[in-house]
Amino acid sequence: MEQLLRAQLHTTTLRAFGSSGGGCISEGYAYYTDSGPVFVKVNRRTQARQMFEGEMASLEALRNTGLVRVPKPMKVIDLPGGGAVFVMEHLKMKSLSSQASKLGEQMADLHLYNQKLREKSKTRQNTVGCGAEDAEPQGVTKFGFHTVTCCGFIPQVNEWQDDWPTFFTRHRLQAQLDLIEKDYADRETQELWSGLQVKIPDLFVGIEIVPALLHGDLWSGNVAEDDQGPVIYDPASFYGHSEFELAIASMFGGFPRSFFTAYHRKIPKAPGFDKRLLLYQLFNYLNHWNHFGREYRSPSLGVMRKLLM
């Protein structure tokens, strides 16, 4: 692999440093190169290129807002024996602590970014003398993303939809439940789902949802800080409901209360927030069931029962 990296990165220097690491999905390595330190993720699955290309597109979208700090993505490279590697900027990070409040503010600003673009665009359209030469980003009007992204190793369909409940039900919940049906044929899950899916639209009555650019997998293992401030990484981005982002952040610990306080100072909780948060947590429990097995069956079914109450 090192010979491949030298050739693809056009570097003479390629010296490993630190200890190899990574998460549940990919291995991670750090190297010094002629142009500075890089972090290399390695995955030998057949769909590794698709997974890494989705992550690269996500990092680029987040980085282009100028509102949150992410590692600069560099290159996806195919491995000769199968799989791929993803090369990005190496950042010297530590666990999120003193920067939690700042990250809460930044995530709220990120979630408001598309709405503000749309408002600016509308203002320009109503201003005499603004023509095509004044064109700026218009803002996104639908829910989805321009490419497939993976939450873990599971590919997510991001086909654009006008309606958020339809997008979320079809491309997030139903997609996860289809995998569970295929692997487990769990009758109780299907019975609960048949009752729940007809109730989902009721959870969104009376609220306006503007598509927000999301990190998409904002658990504590994908956030950090360094000397310059907060950092987020390993995204699975798409344009969705901002509340979706907070579900996994509130599930497994690691986010101080100051993060949520700072976030909600800018984006207050809308009516029905707590029940919708349960709905979004259901997606994450189902996703964990599909990744890690039946230990996540009980919490998945527990959430479904609460939503049916």
Side-chain angles (χ1 to χ4, degrees):
M1 186 180 76
E2 293 191 355
Q3 186 177 351
L4 178 68
L5 288 172
R6 278 197 179 88
Q8 290 288 326
L9 299 179
H10 307 291
T11 181
T12 304
T13 305
L14 192 74
R15 190 170 74 255
F17 69 93
S19 55
S20 61
C24 306
I25 311 300
S26 301
E27 305 163 30
Y29 304 90
Y31 295 96
Y32 291 113
T33 71
D34 293 348
S35 54
V38 298
F39 183 71
V40 179
K41 292 176 74 169
V42 181
N43 191 288
R44 302 186 189 278
R45 292 174 180 268
T46 53
Q47 72 269 37
R49 170 167 276 277
Q50 180 187 53
M51 182 172 68
F52 286 151
E53 284 182 341
E55 183 178 345
M56 185 165 183
S58 300
L59 288 171
E60 287 170 344
L62 294 167
R63 194 166 182 267
N64 287 341
T65 67
L67 295 171
V68 291
R69 191 146 161 265
V70 300
K72 180 181 178 181
M74 297 168 69
K75 199 167 192 177
V76 177
I77 305 165
D78 289 318
L79 287 171
V85 300
F86 179 24
V87 185
M88 69 191 82
E89 172 188 20
H90 179 275
L91 298 175
K92 190 176 181 181
M93 301 182 296
K94 59 185 179 183
S95 296
L96 182 71
S97 57
S98 64
Q99 298 294 322
S101 177
K102 187 173 182 182
L103 180 60
E105 292 177 2
Q106 289 179 351
M107 293 308 298
D109 288 339
L110 174 69
H111 292 166
L112 293 169
Y113 176 73
N114 185 57
Q115 179 179 322
K116 290 180 177 178
L117 279 183
R118 290 174 59 177
E119 289 167 355
K120 282 182 183 177
S121 176
K122 201 174 289 185
T123 302
R124 284 198 304 273
Q125 289 170 11
N126 295 328
T127 302
V128 176
C130 282
E133 67 275 8
D134 302 310
E136 291 182 20
Q138 300 288 306
V140 170
T141 59
K142 298 186 178 186
F143 300 94
F145 203 53
H146 63 276
T147 190
V148 170
T149 52
C150 296
C151 192
F153 56 72
I154 296 175
Q156 300 184 126
V157 173
N158 289 321
E159 291 174 359
W160 297 102
Q161 294 280 338
D162 292 313
D163 177 67
W164 167 250
T166 300
F167 175 90
F168 179 69
T169 303
R170 181 180 301 167
H171 295 320
R172 293 300 180 264
L173 291 180
Q174 187 66 64
Q176 292 287 337
L177 286 155
D178 286 347
L179 291 174
I180 286 167
E181 174 64 19
K182 176 173 170 278
D183 292 340
Y184 299 96
D186 192 283
R187 177 189 283 185
E188 187 177 0
T189 303
Q190 291 304 318
E191 288 174 353
L192 288 168
W193 174 236
S194 66
L196 175 59
Q197 60 182 319
V198 297
K199 292 178 172 288
I200 288 175
D202 297 341
L203 299 177
F204 296 93
V205 172
I207 63 165
E208 181 187 7
I209 302 173
V210 177
L213 179 61
L214 307 179
H215 173 284
D217 190 17
L218 197 77
W219 72 291
S220 59
N222 290 342
V223 302
E225 63 182 61
D226 66 6
D227 294 339
Q228 295 181 46
V231 182
I232 60 176
Y233 52 97
D234 286 358
S237 291
F238 63 99
Y239 284 86
H241 188 193
S242 57
E243 291 176 359
F244 174 88
E245 195 93 281
L246 301 182
I248 195 166
S250 61
M251 284 171 70
F252 301 117
F255 283 84
R257 183 178 295 179
S258 58
F259 168 84
F260 297 101
T261 301
Y263 180 92
H264 288 303
R265 203 176 291 129
K266 292 198 168 193
I267 304 181
K269 294 179 182 180
F273 173 89
D274 291 336
K275 197 142 192 182
R276 287 189 301 276
L277 198 70
L278 265 183
L279 182 71
Y280 296 143
Q281 288 178 345
L282 174 60
F283 162 79
N284 289 290
Y285 281 126
L286 294 172
N287 188 46
H288 276 64
W289 184 355
N290 280 314
H291 276 87
F292 307 117
R294 290 182 68 90
E295 67 186 277
Y296 286 97
R297 178 184 185 273
S298 180
S300 298
L301 270 56
V303 170
M304 293 174 91
R305 291 190 194 99
K306 282 183 184 177
L307 287 164
L308 284 166
M309 290 170 66

